Amino acid sequence: MSQKVKDNLKKETEKLIKDSGITPGLAVVIVGDDPASRVYVNSKKKACAEIGYYSEEHALPASTTEEELLNLVEKLNNDDKIHGILVQLPLPKHINEETIINAINPKKDVDAFHPVNVGKIMIGNFDFLPCTPAGVMELLDDANIELNGKNAVVIGRSNIVGKPQSMLLLHKNATVTICHSRTQNLKEITKTADILVVAVGRAEMIDGDYIKEGAVVIDVGMNRLENKKLVGDVHFESCEKKASYITPVPGGVGPMTIATLMKNTFTAAKNTIK
Ligand code: GUN
């Protein structure tokens, strides 16, 4: 599925370069040495190379100051080769993430984290798709899953996944419930879900008891167990028995997130032509 998106982008990129001389360019900024972030950043660079984008990596030490990072963002904002800027989160504690996100030119904000882009997503008229939630929507669409009038339950209320995911589902006319760590009677709510999206960050927390027969289960989690095994937030074996559709970890939502990021980078490059 993600391969299909990347293959299409590769063709469109060849055409864009031929017609306008513009090669989409993505700058990826990583601060510190979080191992999960390193894996994500490597996948993003690899996808750029596959499609034919220009990409730059800025790997900065954990001791980088907020001011130094702001200076880099400003430099990238003013660099015509760069159409998309991605600052990998989380940032070290001494750097205010909101300050950094707010400094990115909204036209280059391929994560769609800037308040301008978040507002556009809320309204439903947006250029940049929120990467993980849009990847989930693409999987649902590809599997021909009906959303109109269905009960969708999202567990997690982060700015990266839970909140924008809820908006995208709402735009498709689902009846959306957002659950989080303070939600009471979680199981009663999740059992009403025709579509359940899980983004809690706790290994295999949602097992078969939480879902109803025939539910669609989307696992956004990515957790490393002590034995090094990579698992989602969903207990796959027990849910698979009841679900009509379920995404695996790894290989489900993750690659779609990157595919969406690549789409956004293309959009950002194309939008400079107008
Ligand atoms: N950290 C975890 N997911 C993401 C993402 O989608 N974008 C960025 N910038 N950082 C992340």
Side-chain angles (χ1 to χ4, degrees), residues 98-163:
E98 202 177 339
T99 305
I100 302 301
I101 289 168
N102 289 354
I104 297 172
N105 179 345
K107 293 188 165 69
K108 296 192 176 190
D109 170 39
V110 284
D111 264 322
F113 289 167
H114 189 283
V116 165
N117 291 319
V118 174
K120 286 183 169 186
I121 290 163
M122 190 88 173
I123 292 164
N125 178 15
F126 43 90
D127 299 320
F128 294 133
L129 303 155
C131 294
T132 299
V136 168
M137 298 308 281
E138 187 129 355
L139 285 175
L140 293 172
D141 187 55
D142 194 58
N144 286 318
I145 290 161
E146 179 67 46
L147 297 172
N148 205 351
K150 299 290 180 188
N151 285 339
V153 174
V154 177
I155 319 182
R157 56 174 157 181
S158 70
N159 291 331
I160 298 184
V161 183
K163 286 184 207 167

Side-chain angles (χ1 to χ4, degrees), residues 64-82:
T64 302
T65 65
E66 190 172 288
E67 197 189 349
E68 284 166 334
L69 185 54
L70 283 171
N71 286 340
L72 173 60
V73 168
E74 196 48 35
K75 208 174 104 214
L76 296 170
N77 277 341
N78 293 318
D79 184 341
D80 289 343
K81 292 193 303 303
I82 299 300

Side-chain angles (χ1 to χ4, degrees), residues 200-207 210 219 223 225 229-238:
V200 287
R202 281 176 58 188
E204 300 180 319
M205 176 187 151
I206 300 301
D207 64 20
Y210 283 80
D219 189 353
N223 312 282
L225 297 180
K229 193 179 165 208
L230 205 55
V231 298
D233 294 345
V234 169
H235 185 264
F236 189 84
E237 287 73 23
S238 59

